[in-house]
Amino acid sequence: MDLRDALRGITCPMVTPFDGGSIDKAALIDVLEHLQAGGIDAVFPCGTTGEYPSLTADEQRRVVETTVDHADVPVIAGAGATSVGETVAAIDRAADAGADAAAVVAPYFTTANAPEGNRRFFEAVIDEAPLPVLLYNIPQCTGQRIEPETVAAVAERDGAVGIKDSSGDLGYFLSVLAGTPDEFLCLQGYDALLVPALRMGADGGINALSNVVPEVLREAFERADDERGRELQRDAIAPLFDACTTHDFAPATKTALAERDVIPSDEVRPPLVAVDDAGRETIGDALEAALAVTEQ
């Protein structure tokens, strides 16, 4: 499938399963098979839900290689770093591993020169990158948002394919949507806003819950403009999202995947902390309720 066509659907930011501190390759393949059976259009390894800051460069490469080797859909690799050189190096590794595109966050820690500094950063990365670049706006993790005027300027660059917005700010998303060309894809990354954003013109979604209930996210995308889409958002996606956001999202997503018997363990790496027993019960109840909505 063409990259842009795939991104006009549901992309999954995949978890990275661990076993005794090491990457569990077999479980990673099981996750991928689960996603593809659920109708996912593209996959995104080594993103926030994939715990990329806790992976070494070699581990990131191996995760992307494994995903590419077993994927029947396009692969967008996470390539977040704080410098142009490190970011381009991460994209080079992703390209060597066979990825179709790379996702790049704003340079965290150094935020004083935004938005002009961010424009220069993204343009320099895009000009050197061997893959199409997807901007990734997640201010709760980077300490700053990618301002709409910065997105609009970068969107004119060859090689800029679109943006994933995980800010949870629908007003921001609509500003970006209005200020960028039609061919620049605007993808909703905050699960609680998926259907509202699609109704307002979003091209697709990149949503952590698609790890757990890909069939729910896929149907919500297909039915976003009618009552069924609203029902899935309200009664399945939103309650499960709320249950997961009580905890860090990577641990919560792994807990839900373990509850669904897709992976054997919800192990995470420091500084993340596994979900406690009470949280597992809450997430399990929300997962059961979400699946019940799907069966209606």
Side-chain angles (χ1 to χ4, degrees), residues 5 12 31 39 46-47 58 79 84 123 175 191 219 227 233 235 251-252 271:
D5 289 343
C12 180
V31 170
C46 299
D58 181 63
V84 171
E123 289 179 348
S175 294
D191 299 37
E219 187 181 2
E227 180 59 30
Q233 180 72 63
D235 299 336

Side-chain angles (χ1 to χ4, degrees), residues 11-33:
T11 297
C12 180
M14 295 173 61
V15 300
T16 304
F18 299 121
D19 179 14
S22 299
I23 293 170
D24 188 338
K25 181 178 177 179
L28 180 64
I29 295 169
D30 287 342
V31 170
L32 183 58
E33 291 176 349

Side-chain angles (χ1 to χ4, degrees), residues 89-103:
I91 298 173
D92 285 339
R93 291 192 298 271
D96 290 343
D100 299 285

Side-chain angles (χ1 to χ4, degrees), residues 176-211:
V176 170
L177 189 62
T180 52
D182 289 345
E183 62 269 20
F184 185 82
L185 303 178
C186 293
L187 310 172
Q188 181 54 246
Y190 197 79
D191 299 37
L193 294 178
L194 176 61
V195 168
L198 290 169
R199 288 188 170 193
M200 296 301 291
D203 294 291
I206 304 181
N207 306 105
L209 289 183
S210 63
N211 278 281

